[in-house]
Amino acid sequence: ITTQKIKDLTTTFKFGAAVKTANLKSESAYDNTFKGEYNQLSAEFEMKMNFIWNSETSYNFTNVDYLVNYAQQNNMTVHGHTLLWYQSFPDWFKNANYDSVAFESKVKVYIETVVGRYKGKIKSWDVANEIFNDDGTMRIESQIQGKFKDPIGFVGRCFKYAAIADPDAKLFYNDYNVVLAAGKRTAMKNMAIRFKNAGIPIHGLGEQFHYRISTSQTQINSGFADLVSSGLLIHLSEIDCKVNTTNSPTYVVNSTDLQKQSDFFKNIVKLYNAIPGNQKFAMTTWGITDKNTWLRDSGNGNKEYPLLFDENYGKKPAYVGFLDGLK
Ligand code: G3I
Protein backbone atom coordinates (compact mmCIF):
# COMPACT_ATOMS: atom_id res chain seq x y z
CA ILE A 1 0.00 0.00 0.00
CA THR A 2 3.00 2.28 0.30
CA THR A 3 6.72 1.98 -0.38
CA GLN A 4 7.57 4.89 1.95
CA LYS A 5 9.36 3.94 5.15
CA ILE A 6 8.54 5.51 8.54
CA LYS A 7 12.18 5.42 9.60
CA ASP A 8 13.14 7.53 6.57
CA LEU A 9 10.71 10.27 7.58
CA THR A 10 11.56 10.43 11.28
CA THR A 11 14.93 12.15 11.21
CA THR A 12 14.29 13.83 14.59
CA PHE A 13 13.43 10.73 16.62
CA LYS A 14 14.06 6.99 16.47
CA PHE A 15 11.44 4.49 15.33
CA GLY A 16 11.87 1.44 17.51
CA ALA A 17 10.33 -1.94 18.23
CA ALA A 18 10.57 -4.52 20.98
CA VAL A 19 11.95 -7.77 19.58
CA LYS A 20 12.81 -11.27 20.75
CA THR A 21 16.08 -13.04 19.97
CA ALA A 22 14.34 -16.32 19.12
CA ASN A 23 12.20 -14.69 16.43
CA LEU A 24 15.09 -12.74 14.92
CA LYS A 25 16.99 -16.02 14.57
CA SER A 26 14.15 -18.25 13.41
CA GLU A 27 11.89 -16.13 11.23
CA SER A 28 13.37 -14.33 8.19
CA ALA A 29 10.24 -12.19 7.62
CA TYR A 30 10.47 -10.99 11.26
CA ASP A 31 14.21 -10.31 10.90
CA ASN A 32 13.88 -8.58 7.50
CA THR A 33 10.93 -6.44 8.56
CA PHE A 34 12.68 -5.34 11.74
CA LYS A 35 15.99 -4.39 10.14
CA GLY A 36 14.29 -2.94 7.09
CA GLU A 37 11.78 -0.76 8.91
CA TYR A 38 13.17 0.23 12.33
CA ASN A 39 16.26 2.01 13.63
CA GLN A 40 16.09 1.33 17.38
CA LEU A 41 15.94 -1.96 19.28
CA SER A 42 14.23 -2.69 22.60
CA ALA A 43 14.30 -6.20 24.10
CA GLU A 44 10.86 -7.56 24.89
CA PHE A 45 12.26 -9.49 27.85
CA GLU A 46 15.92 -10.48 27.42
CA MET A 47 17.38 -7.37 29.08
CA LYS A 48 15.48 -7.84 32.31
CA MET A 49 17.02 -8.90 35.61
CA ASN A 50 15.40 -12.38 35.68
CA PHE A 51 16.81 -13.22 32.24
CA ILE A 52 20.35 -12.00 32.96
CA TRP A 53 21.01 -12.60 36.66
CA ASN A 54 21.02 -16.35 37.35
CA SER A 55 22.62 -16.11 40.77
CA GLU A 56 24.46 -13.44 42.76
CA THR A 57 27.71 -14.14 40.91
CA SER A 58 26.49 -15.56 37.61
CA TYR A 59 25.13 -13.49 34.72
CA ASN A 60 23.93 -14.74 31.33
CA PHE A 61 24.60 -12.08 28.69
CA THR A 62 24.22 -14.38 25.65
CA ASN A 63 20.95 -12.90 24.39
CA VAL A 64 21.86 -9.32 25.32
CA ASP A 65 25.17 -9.65 23.45
CA TYR A 66 23.29 -11.06 20.46
CA LEU A 67 20.80 -8.18 20.39
CA VAL A 68 23.48 -5.50 20.86
CA ASN A 69 25.60 -7.01 18.08
CA TYR A 70 22.51 -7.34 15.83
CA ALA A 71 21.72 -3.66 16.38
CA GLN A 72 25.29 -2.61 15.64
CA GLN A 73 25.35 -4.66 12.43
CA ASN A 74 22.09 -3.05 11.33
CA ASN A 75 22.94 0.52 12.30
CA MET A 76 20.36 0.64 15.08
CA THR A 77 20.52 2.17 18.54
CA VAL A 78 19.64 0.04 21.56
CA HIS A 79 17.32 1.08 24.40
CA GLY A 80 17.85 -0.99 27.56
CA HIS A 81 14.63 -2.20 29.15
CA THR A 82 14.76 -2.44 32.18
CA LEU A 83 17.09 -2.47 35.19
CA LEU A 84 14.53 -2.33 38.00
CA TRP A 85 11.04 -3.82 37.72
CA TYR A 86 9.00 -5.54 40.40
CA GLN A 87 8.03 -8.29 37.91
CA SER A 88 11.60 -9.14 36.97
CA PHE A 89 13.38 -9.74 40.26
CA PRO A 90 14.68 -13.33 39.97
CA ASP A 91 13.21 -15.91 42.36
CA TRP A 92 16.60 -16.58 44.00
CA PHE A 93 16.87 -12.85 44.75
CA LYS A 94 13.36 -12.56 46.18
CA ASN A 95 13.77 -15.74 48.22
CA ALA A 96 16.96 -14.41 49.79
CA ASN A 97 14.78 -11.80 51.51
CA TYR A 98 17.68 -9.36 51.88
CA ASP A 99 17.41 -6.45 54.29
CA SER A 100 17.49 -3.00 52.70
CA VAL A 101 21.28 -2.64 52.99
CA ALA A 102 22.03 -5.99 51.35
CA PHE A 103 19.21 -5.49 48.81
CA GLU A 104 20.67 -2.18 47.67
CA SER A 105 24.31 -3.28 47.64
CA LYS A 106 23.46 -6.27 45.41
CA VAL A 107 21.25 -4.25 43.05
CA LYS A 108 24.06 -1.68 42.86
CA VAL A 109 26.51 -4.39 41.72
CA TYR A 110 23.93 -5.66 39.20
CA ILE A 111 23.45 -2.18 37.70
CA GLU A 112 27.21 -1.51 37.60
CA THR A 113 27.84 -4.90 35.96
CA VAL A 114 25.11 -4.67 33.30
CA VAL A 115 25.33 -0.96 32.43
CA GLY A 116 29.11 -1.11 32.59
CA ARG A 117 29.29 -4.06 30.17
CA TYR A 118 27.30 -2.18 27.53
CA LYS A 119 28.78 1.25 28.15
CA GLY A 120 28.65 3.18 24.89
CA LYS A 121 26.65 0.38 23.23
CA ILE A 122 23.27 0.63 25.00
CA LYS A 123 22.63 4.36 24.66
CA SER A 124 19.67 4.59 27.04
CA TRP A 125 18.12 2.65 29.89
CA ASP A 126 14.79 2.34 31.66
CA VAL A 127 16.41 2.47 35.09
CA ALA A 128 13.06 1.85 36.77
CA ASN A 129 9.74 0.60 35.40
CA GLU A 130 6.23 0.75 36.90
CA ILE A 131 6.87 1.74 40.53
CA PHE A 132 3.70 3.86 40.85
CA ASN A 133 -0.01 3.10 40.99
CA ASP A 134 -2.38 5.16 38.85
CA ASP A 135 -3.11 7.42 41.86
CA GLY A 136 0.59 8.17 42.33
CA THR A 137 1.14 6.03 45.42
CA MET A 138 3.98 3.50 45.39
CA ARG A 139 3.01 0.12 43.92
CA ILE A 140 2.92 -2.14 46.97
CA GLU A 141 4.31 -5.22 45.24
CA SER A 142 7.25 -3.27 43.87
CA GLN A 143 9.62 -5.22 46.15
CA ILE A 144 11.05 -1.89 47.30
CA GLN A 145 8.00 -0.40 48.99
CA GLY A 146 8.36 -2.68 51.99
CA LYS A 147 12.16 -2.50 52.05
CA PHE A 148 12.82 1.22 52.19
CA LYS A 149 11.31 3.99 54.27
CA ASP A 150 12.13 6.22 51.31
CA PRO A 151 11.69 4.03 48.18
CA ILE A 152 12.06 7.00 45.82
CA GLY A 153 15.42 7.71 47.47
CA PHE A 154 16.49 4.16 46.64
CA VAL A 155 15.34 4.58 43.02
CA GLY A 156 17.30 7.82 42.80
CA ARG A 157 20.45 6.09 43.98
CA CYS A 158 19.90 3.45 41.25
CA PHE A 159 19.82 6.26 38.67
CA LYS A 160 23.13 7.46 40.12
CA TYR A 161 24.66 3.97 39.97
CA ALA A 162 23.65 3.71 36.30
CA ALA A 163 25.03 7.18 35.52
CA ILE A 164 28.38 6.34 37.11
CA ALA A 165 28.55 3.09 35.11
CA ASP A 166 27.83 4.93 31.83
CA PRO A 167 27.87 8.75 32.06
CA ASP A 168 26.72 9.10 28.46
CA ALA A 169 23.62 6.89 28.72
CA LYS A 170 20.22 8.58 28.73
CA LEU A 171 18.35 7.44 31.85
CA PHE A 172 14.57 7.03 31.86
CA TYR A 173 11.74 6.25 34.22
CA ASN A 174 9.09 4.16 32.38
CA ASP A 175 5.42 3.45 33.16
CA TYR A 176 2.03 2.78 31.56
CA ASN A 177 -1.29 4.64 31.50
CA VAL A 178 0.66 7.86 32.08
CA VAL A 179 -1.39 10.18 29.85
CA LEU A 180 -4.66 8.93 31.39
CA ALA A 181 -3.66 8.69 35.08
CA ALA A 182 -2.98 12.21 36.38
CA GLY A 183 -1.87 10.92 39.80
CA LYS A 184 0.78 8.66 38.30
CA ARG A 185 1.91 11.38 35.90
CA THR A 186 2.26 13.90 38.72
CA ALA A 187 4.23 11.43 40.83
CA MET A 188 6.57 10.86 37.90
CA LYS A 189 7.06 14.58 37.31
CA ASN A 190 7.62 15.23 41.03
CA MET A 191 10.17 12.39 41.21
CA ALA A 192 12.04 13.89 38.25
CA ILE A 193 12.07 17.31 39.95
CA ARG A 194 13.31 15.75 43.20
CA PHE A 195 16.10 13.96 41.32
CA LYS A 196 17.09 17.10 39.42
CA ASN A 197 17.21 19.12 42.67
CA ALA A 198 19.39 16.41 44.21
CA GLY A 199 21.77 16.38 41.26
CA ILE A 200 20.64 12.89 40.30
CA PRO A 201 20.70 12.39 36.49
CA ILE A 202 17.31 11.59 34.96
CA HIS A 203 16.93 12.43 31.28
CA GLY A 204 13.57 11.11 30.20
CA LEU A 205 10.13 9.75 30.95
CA GLY A 206 8.67 6.74 29.15
CA GLU A 207 4.96 6.34 28.55
CA GLN A 208 4.39 2.78 27.38
CA PHE A 209 1.24 3.79 25.43
CA HIS A 210 -0.65 0.50 25.57
CA TYR A 211 -4.09 1.75 24.45
CA ARG A 212 -7.04 0.82 22.22
CA ILE A 213 -9.08 2.42 19.43
CA SER A 214 -11.72 3.45 21.98
CA THR A 215 -9.24 5.40 24.14
CA SER A 216 -10.31 9.05 24.25
CA GLN A 217 -8.11 11.17 21.96
CA THR A 218 -9.05 14.24 24.03
CA GLN A 219 -7.74 12.59 27.20
CA ILE A 220 -4.61 11.41 25.36
CA ASN A 221 -3.97 14.91 24.05
CA SER A 222 -4.32 16.68 27.42
CA GLY A 223 -2.38 14.07 29.41
CA PHE A 224 0.34 14.07 26.80
CA ALA A 225 0.69 17.86 26.93
CA ASP A 226 1.07 17.65 30.72
CA LEU A 227 3.73 14.93 30.37
CA VAL A 228 5.66 17.05 27.86
CA SER A 229 5.54 19.98 30.31
CA SER A 230 8.08 18.00 32.38
CA GLY A 231 10.66 19.29 29.90
CA LEU A 232 12.36 15.87 29.77
CA LEU A 233 12.95 13.52 26.85
CA ILE A 234 9.69 11.73 26.07
CA HIS A 235 9.73 8.10 24.97
CA LEU A 236 6.52 6.45 23.75
CA SER A 237 8.12 3.19 24.70
CA GLU A 238 5.72 0.26 24.13
CA ILE A 239 3.05 1.47 21.72
CA ASP A 240 0.27 -0.84 20.70
CA CYS A 241 -3.40 -0.15 19.99
CA LYS A 242 -5.98 -2.87 20.59
CA VAL A 243 -8.63 -3.11 17.90
CA ASN A 244 -10.92 -5.75 19.40
CA THR A 245 -13.18 -3.61 21.56
CA THR A 246 -15.76 -6.40 21.75
CA ASN A 247 -13.41 -8.24 24.13
CA SER A 248 -14.63 -11.45 22.51
CA PRO A 249 -12.49 -14.28 21.09
CA THR A 250 -14.88 -14.48 18.13
CA TYR A 251 -14.21 -10.87 17.02
CA VAL A 252 -13.38 -10.59 13.31
CA VAL A 253 -11.23 -7.62 12.38
CA ASN A 254 -12.89 -5.15 9.98
CA SER A 255 -11.85 -2.14 7.89
CA THR A 256 -13.74 0.35 10.08
CA ASP A 257 -11.80 -0.68 13.20
CA LEU A 258 -8.51 -0.81 11.27
CA GLN A 259 -9.17 2.75 10.09
CA LYS A 260 -9.81 3.84 13.70
CA GLN A 261 -6.44 2.30 14.58
CA SER A 262 -4.87 4.22 11.70
CA ASP A 263 -6.39 7.43 13.08
CA PHE A 264 -5.04 6.57 16.56
CA PHE A 265 -1.50 6.29 15.22
CA LYS A 266 -1.86 9.41 13.06
CA ASN A 267 -2.96 11.39 16.14
CA ILE A 268 -0.13 10.28 18.41
CA VAL A 269 2.49 10.78 15.70
CA LYS A 270 1.22 14.32 15.15
CA LEU A 271 1.33 14.92 18.92
CA TYR A 272 4.83 13.50 19.23
CA ASN A 273 6.18 15.24 16.14
CA ALA A 274 5.03 18.58 17.55
CA ILE A 275 7.01 18.42 20.81
CA PRO A 276 10.21 20.47 21.18
CA GLY A 277 13.15 18.92 19.36
CA ASN A 278 15.19 18.61 22.56
CA GLN A 279 12.48 16.40 24.06
CA LYS A 280 12.26 14.00 21.13
CA PHE A 281 13.74 10.53 21.67
CA ALA A 282 11.79 7.63 20.13
CA MET A 283 8.44 6.05 19.33
CA THR A 284 8.67 2.32 19.98
CA THR A 285 6.03 -0.29 19.16
CA TRP A 286 5.80 -3.27 21.46
CA GLY A 287 6.41 -5.92 18.84
CA ILE A 288 6.38 -5.78 15.05
CA THR A 289 3.52 -7.96 13.78
CA ASP A 290 0.00 -8.84 14.92
CA LYS A 291 1.16 -12.44 14.66
CA ASN A 292 3.47 -12.05 17.66
CA THR A 293 2.21 -9.73 20.38
CA TRP A 294 2.28 -10.02 24.17
CA LEU A 295 -1.45 -9.35 24.02
CA ARG A 296 -1.90 -12.74 22.37
CA ASP A 297 0.47 -14.51 24.74
CA SER A 298 -0.68 -13.08 28.02
CA GLY A 299 -4.15 -11.81 27.31
CA ASN A 300 -7.48 -13.63 27.35
CA GLY A 301 -6.68 -15.26 24.01
CA ASN A 302 -8.56 -12.60 22.07
CA LYS A 303 -6.88 -11.44 18.87
CA GLU A 304 -6.14 -7.72 19.29
CA TYR A 305 -4.40 -6.77 16.00
CA PRO A 306 -2.43 -4.09 17.94
CA LEU A 307 0.54 -3.33 15.69
CA LEU A 308 1.53 -1.76 12.35
CA PHE A 309 2.18 -4.99 10.44
CA ASP A 310 -0.42 -7.73 9.98
CA GLU A 311 0.09 -11.45 10.54
CA ASN A 312 1.75 -11.76 7.11
CA TYR A 313 4.02 -8.74 7.74
CA GLY A 314 1.91 -6.59 5.41
CA LYS A 315 1.66 -2.87 6.15
CA LYS A 316 -1.71 -2.08 7.73
CA PRO A 317 -3.72 1.16 7.51
CA ALA A 318 -2.05 1.94 10.87
CA TYR A 319 1.32 2.11 9.08
CA VAL A 320 -0.13 4.64 6.61
CA GLY A 321 -1.66 6.57 9.52
CA PHE A 322 1.78 6.77 11.12
CA LEU A 323 3.28 8.09 7.87
CA ASP A 324 0.44 10.63 7.50
CA GLY A 325 1.14 11.88 11.02
CA LEU A 326 4.64 12.81 9.91
CA LYS A 327 3.50 14.91 6.93
O1 G3I B 1 10.25 -17.80 25.16
C1 G3I B 1 10.88 -18.05 26.39
C2 G3I B 1 11.20 -19.51 26.55
O2 G3I B 1 12.13 -19.88 25.54
C3 G3I B 1 11.80 -19.71 27.91
O3 G3I B 1 12.07 -21.07 28.10
C4 G3I B 1 10.86 -19.20 28.98
C5 G3I B 1 11.54 -19.32 30.33
O4 G3I B 1 10.72 -18.64 31.27
O5 G3I B 1 10.57 -17.83 28.78
C6 G3I B 1 9.98 -17.60 27.52
O6 G3I B 1 9.90 -16.20 27.42
C7 G3I B 1 8.73 -15.58 27.86
C8 G3I B 1 8.75 -14.29 27.06
O7 G3I B 1 7.74 -13.41 27.50
C9 G3I B 1 8.58 -14.58 25.57
O8 G3I B 1 7.25 -14.90 25.30
C10 G3I B 1 8.85 -15.27 29.36
O9 G3I B 1 8.64 -16.45 30.09
C11 G3I B 1 7.81 -14.24 29.75
O10 G3I B 1 8.04 -13.82 31.08
C12 G3I B 1 7.97 -13.02 28.85
O11 G3I B 1 6.97 -12.08 29.18
C13 G3I B 1 7.32 -10.73 28.87
C14 G3I B 1 6.85 -9.88 30.05
O12 G3I B 1 7.05 -8.49 29.78
C15 G3I B 1 7.62 -10.23 31.31
O13 G3I B 1 8.98 -10.00 31.09
C16 G3I B 1 6.60 -10.31 27.59
O14 G3I B 1 7.20 -10.97 26.48
C17 G3I B 1 6.72 -8.80 27.39
O15 G3I B 1 5.91 -8.37 26.30
C18 G3I B 1 6.29 -8.05 28.64
O16 G3I B 1 6.56 -6.70 28.43
C19 G3I B 1 6.10 -5.79 29.45
C20 G3I B 1 7.16 -4.69 29.58
O17 G3I B 1 8.40 -5.27 29.95
C21 G3I B 1 6.70 -3.66 30.61
N1 G3I B 1 5.40 -3.10 30.23
C22 G3I B 1 4.35 -4.13 30.08
C23 G3I B 1 4.78 -5.13 29.01
C24 G3I B 1 3.68 -6.16 28.79
O18 G3I B 1 3.48 -6.91 29.97
PDB file of all heavy atoms in Angstrom, residues 191-203:
ATOM      1  N   MET A 191       8.941  13.169  40.968  1.00  0.00           N
ATOM      2  CA  MET A 191      10.165  12.390  41.212  1.00  0.00           C
ATOM      3  C   MET A 191      11.308  12.972  40.373  1.00  0.00           C
ATOM      4  O   MET A 191      12.427  13.149  40.854  1.00  0.00           O
ATOM      5  CB  MET A 191       9.942  10.914  40.841  1.00  0.00           C
ATOM      6  CG  MET A 191      11.161  10.035  41.077  1.00  0.00           C
ATOM      7  SD  MET A 191      10.791   8.278  40.822  1.00  0.00           S
ATOM      8  CE  MET A 191      10.679   8.212  39.032  1.00  0.00           C
ATOM      9  N   ALA A 192      11.003  13.325  39.129  1.00  0.00           N
ATOM     10  CA  ALA A 192      12.039  13.893  38.252  1.00  0.00           C
ATOM     11  C   ALA A 192      12.554  15.216  38.813  1.00  0.00           C
ATOM     12  O   ALA A 192      13.766  15.476  38.816  1.00  0.00           O
ATOM     13  CB  ALA A 192      11.470  14.090  36.847  1.00  0.00           C
ATOM     14  N   ILE A 193      11.658  16.039  39.349  1.00  0.00           N
ATOM     15  CA  ILE A 193      12.069  17.313  39.949  1.00  0.00           C
ATOM     16  C   ILE A 193      12.942  17.055  41.176  1.00  0.00           C
ATOM     17  O   ILE A 193      14.006  17.663  41.350  1.00  0.00           O
ATOM     18  CB  ILE A 193      10.824  18.162  40.328  1.00  0.00           C
ATOM     19  CG1 ILE A 193      10.097  18.633  39.062  1.00  0.00           C
ATOM     20  CG2 ILE A 193      11.218  19.351  41.207  1.00  0.00           C
ATOM     21  CD1 ILE A 193       8.679  19.137  39.311  1.00  0.00           C
ATOM     22  N   ARG A 194      12.516  16.090  41.996  1.00  0.00           N
ATOM     23  CA  ARG A 194      13.311  15.755  43.196  1.00  0.00           C
ATOM     24  C   ARG A 194      14.707  15.297  42.804  1.00  0.00           C
ATOM     25  O   ARG A 194      15.712  15.738  43.369  1.00  0.00           O
ATOM     26  CB  ARG A 194      12.589  14.646  43.992  1.00  0.00           C
ATOM     27  CG  ARG A 194      13.425  14.105  45.127  1.00  0.00           C
ATOM     28  CD  ARG A 194      12.707  13.075  45.967  1.00  0.00           C
ATOM     29  NE  ARG A 194      13.669  12.373  46.832  1.00  0.00           N
ATOM     30  CZ  ARG A 194      13.342  11.425  47.693  1.00  0.00           C
ATOM     31  NH1 ARG A 194      12.064  11.044  47.813  1.00  0.00           N
ATOM     32  NH2 ARG A 194      14.271  10.836  48.426  1.00  0.00           N
ATOM     33  N   PHE A 195      14.791  14.457  41.757  1.00  0.00           N
ATOM     34  CA  PHE A 195      16.103  13.957  41.322  1.00  0.00           C
ATOM     35  C   PHE A 195      16.959  15.119  40.809  1.00  0.00           C
ATOM     36  O   PHE A 195      18.126  15.257  41.165  1.00  0.00           O
ATOM     37  CB  PHE A 195      15.951  12.890  40.241  1.00  0.00           C
ATOM     38  CG  PHE A 195      15.431  11.562  40.723  1.00  0.00           C
ATOM     39  CD1 PHE A 195      15.203  10.530  39.826  1.00  0.00           C
ATOM     40  CD2 PHE A 195      15.137  11.342  42.063  1.00  0.00           C
ATOM     41  CE1 PHE A 195      14.710   9.296  40.249  1.00  0.00           C
ATOM     42  CE2 PHE A 195      14.644  10.120  42.503  1.00  0.00           C
ATOM     43  CZ  PHE A 195      14.436   9.096  41.599  1.00  0.00           C
ATOM     44  N   LYS A 196      16.343  15.962  39.974  1.00  0.00           N
ATOM     45  CA  LYS A 196      17.087  17.104  39.421  1.00  0.00           C
ATOM     46  C   LYS A 196      17.631  17.967  40.565  1.00  0.00           C
ATOM     47  O   LYS A 196      18.803  18.324  40.588  1.00  0.00           O
ATOM     48  CB  LYS A 196      16.156  17.954  38.536  1.00  0.00           C
ATOM     49  CG  LYS A 196      15.814  17.301  37.200  1.00  0.00           C
ATOM     50  CD  LYS A 196      16.851  17.618  36.141  1.00  0.00           C
ATOM     51  CE  LYS A 196      16.533  16.916  34.826  1.00  0.00           C
ATOM     52  NZ  LYS A 196      17.659  16.893  33.893  1.00  0.00           N
ATOM     53  N   ASN A 197      16.781  18.254  41.549  1.00  0.00           N
ATOM     54  CA  ASN A 197      17.206  19.117  42.666  1.00  0.00           C
ATOM     55  C   ASN A 197      18.314  18.476  43.493  1.00  0.00           C
ATOM     56  O   ASN A 197      19.110  19.159  44.117  1.00  0.00           O
ATOM     57  CB  ASN A 197      16.009  19.439  43.571  1.00  0.00           C
ATOM     58  CG  ASN A 197      14.988  20.326  42.860  1.00  0.00           C
ATOM     59  OD1 ASN A 197      15.320  20.969  41.850  1.00  0.00           O
ATOM     60  ND2 ASN A 197      13.761  20.329  43.362  1.00  0.00           N
ATOM     61  N   ALA A 198      18.364  17.133  43.441  1.00  0.00           N
ATOM     62  CA  ALA A 198      19.386  16.409  44.213  1.00  0.00           C
ATOM     63  C   ALA A 198      20.616  16.106  43.364  1.00  0.00           C
ATOM     64  O   ALA A 198      21.516  15.381  43.785  1.00  0.00           O
ATOM     65  CB  ALA A 198      18.787  15.108  44.751  1.00  0.00           C
ATOM     66  N   GLY A 199      20.619  16.628  42.143  1.00  0.00           N
ATOM     67  CA  GLY A 199      21.769  16.377  41.262  1.00  0.00           C
ATOM     68  C   GLY A 199      21.842  14.958  40.749  1.00  0.00           C
ATOM     69  O   GLY A 199      22.898  14.471  40.348  1.00  0.00           O
ATOM     70  N   ILE A 200      20.672  14.275  40.809  1.00  0.00           N
ATOM     71  CA  ILE A 200      20.636  12.888  40.304  1.00  0.00           C
ATOM     72  C   ILE A 200      20.222  12.926  38.829  1.00  0.00           C
ATOM     73  O   ILE A 200      19.199  13.517  38.493  1.00  0.00           O
ATOM     74  CB  ILE A 200      19.612  12.051  41.101  1.00  0.00           C
ATOM     75  CG1 ILE A 200      20.093  11.889  42.548  1.00  0.00           C
ATOM     76  CG2 ILE A 200      19.385  10.689  40.460  1.00  0.00           C
ATOM     77  CD1 ILE A 200      19.040  11.318  43.478  1.00  0.00           C
ATOM     78  N   PRO A 201      21.012  12.318  37.922  1.00  0.00           N
ATOM     79  CA  PRO A 201      20.699  12.392  36.492  1.00  0.00           C
ATOM     80  C   PRO A 201      19.470  11.573  36.111  1.00  0.00           C
ATOM     81  O   PRO A 201      19.437  10.367  36.335  1.00  0.00           O
ATOM     82  CB  PRO A 201      21.947  11.829  35.816  1.00  0.00           C
ATOM     83  CG  PRO A 201      22.670  11.067  36.859  1.00  0.00           C
ATOM     84  CD  PRO A 201      22.228  11.544  38.196  1.00  0.00           C
ATOM     85  N   ILE A 202      18.440  12.237  35.609  1.00  0.00           N
ATOM     86  CA  ILE A 202      17.306  11.588  34.959  1.00  0.00           C
ATOM     87  C   ILE A 202      17.061  12.387  33.696  1.00  0.00           C
ATOM     88  O   ILE A 202      16.967  13.606  33.727  1.00  0.00           O
ATOM     89  CB  ILE A 202      16.042  11.526  35.854  1.00  0.00           C
ATOM     90  CG1 ILE A 202      14.882  10.874  35.116  1.00  0.00           C
ATOM     91  CG2 ILE A 202      15.659  12.898  36.407  1.00  0.00           C
ATOM     92  CD1 ILE A 202      13.704  10.493  36.012  1.00  0.00           C
ATOM     93  N   HIS A 203      17.000  11.712  32.550  1.00  0.00           N
ATOM     94  CA  HIS A 203      16.929  12.429  31.276  1.00  0.00           C
ATOM     95  C   HIS A 203      15.565  12.353  30.622  1.00  0.00           C
ATOM     96  O   HIS A 203      15.219  13.211  29.791  1.00  0.00           O
ATOM     97  CB  HIS A 203      17.988  11.883  30.313  1.00  0.00           C
ATOM     98  CG  HIS A 203      19.366  11.911  30.885  1.00  0.00           C
ATOM     99  ND1 HIS A 203      19.964  10.783  31.438  1.00  0.00           N
ATOM    100  CD2 HIS A 203      20.260  12.919  31.044  1.00  0.00           C
ATOM    101  CE1 HIS A 203      21.169  11.101  31.876  1.00  0.00           C
ATOM    102  NE2 HIS A 203      21.376  12.384  31.663  1.00  0.00           N
TER     103      HIS A 203
END
